[in-house]
Amino acid sequence: MPRPSALDELMRRLTANDIAIIPGALETVRSNDTNHRYRQSSDFYYLTGYDEPEAIAVIRPAHEEHPYILFVRPRDAEKEVWDGERAGVEGAKEIYGADEAFPIAEFEAKLPELLTGRSNLIYRLGTHPNLDQNVIKHLALLRAMTRKGIVAPLTVTDTATVIHEMRVTKTDDELKLIERAAQISAEAHVAAMKAIKPGMYEYEVEALVEYVFRKNGCDAASYGSIVGGGNNATVLHYVRNDRELKDGDLVLLDAGAEYKSYAGDITRTFPVNGKFTEAQREIYELVLEAQTACVAGVRPGISMDELYNLSVEILTAGMIRLGLLEGDAAKLIEEGAHKKFYMHKLGHFIGMDVHDVGAYYRDGKPRPLEAGIVVTIEPGLYISQEAENVPDKYRGIGVRIEDNVVVTTEGGRVLTGDVPKSVEEIEALMGGAKANAAH
Ligand code: GLY
Ligand code: MN
Ligand code: MN
């Protein structure tokens, strides 16, 4: 893993007065002495490519000898027998391209010397409480010495201002990885559509899509897969995935693969038995109308808020048509009446984090999209069993349709187009109505 080009780009963007301290992710306990599978922090991995816990990167562009230092776990023969090989201090330099490297245990002792001479510290407070304590302590000690002519950081700037702004527009190399994550996610959705039958359990679908992710070399799903049959589809963050899929119900599948640290994020909603009922089709085609219009609207210069407003217009008009809302469209939109059935926003940036970093607003105004930003477009309608004043036939129907779209200079390019979306395509792939024959 050579030194990522993002590190050099960051060096170019920082000034001689800056020092950036970027910690890696810590291990997190799953139960007792067993940890969750380790996942490096996205900022840290983006800049360093280094994938072990207990590491800190220090970047000082104006330092003549060592502008880039890594603090890492040292080699340890005994521990490596249990937990696998470590790159160690030498590897941090030789493999990962650090100009200098030290054991992580030496970080605090070196901190005063690192901070001295820089007037601005780039650091995110609030994610690593122990490190925060150290940084604050040494900032205060150094600041007390400024009377003696010592230069110490008087400002602390959040990582978001520079690193997240770099991450929001993707390079061509990043786009290749995102595209692959999208393709694998699409392959998993197609496999699920082909396999689902009445009588299967939601967790079987979860296992199937995550098998496709792993089979293609993905580390994991990029978030907890959502498999909601029937009314469960109306619960936005349903992750229990423990119920039986019933003949005559829809199933909402929201699942995406993480490929080499880049996320896919697809939602499809389809009939468990392969054939939409009339009522399901009415809701589905309305969401699809909004989704395709918003996907077609993606281009540089438009904001996610403008696209959201477009989805609200289409969904509100359609809900009046279907008898879910009553009244004048403009007035209903002004009142936000759609939020009863469409309670989330249209989508989000996607990249190393599924809900990726980057500012959605600038100076209080919605940020116009730019080429290289990747977004999700994912409108939905959710009519729970308990919804009041709705036609009975629509109760228990939840539909979301989600694609990943990269903004290009010409418009938007859909990365997740390999999964069918129209009623006809879905029914054709699923082979029409399937008997209740899974178990
Ligand atoms: N599954 C998370 C999302 O769609 O945003
Ligand atoms: Mn999703
Ligand atoms: Mn999403």
Side-chain angles (χ1 to χ4, degrees), residues 223 254 265-267 347-348 350 354-355 376-378 400 402 404:
Y223 52 90
D254 182 349
D265 183 8
I266 300 182
T267 307
H348 48 86
I350 181 169
V354 62
H355 296 160
T376 69
I377 300 291
E378 50 176 311
R400 177 166 63 255
E402 174 175 28
N404 305 161

Side-chain angles (χ1 to χ4, degrees), residues 39 42 178 181-182 185 189 209-210 213-214 218-226 254-266 348 350-356 376 402 404:
R39 204 286 190 173
S42 299
I178 295 181
S185 307
H189 277 255
V209 297
E210 294 183 9
F213 299 165
R214 293 292 278 145
C218 294
D219 278 343
S222 47
Y223 52 90
S225 302
I226 297 171
D254 182 349
E258 181 174 291
Y259 183 72
K260 296 193 193 297
S261 297
Y262 286 84
D265 183 8
I266 300 182
H348 48 86
I350 181 169
M352 295 184 93
D353 294 310
V354 62
H355 296 160
D356 210 22
T376 69
E402 174 175 28
N404 305 161

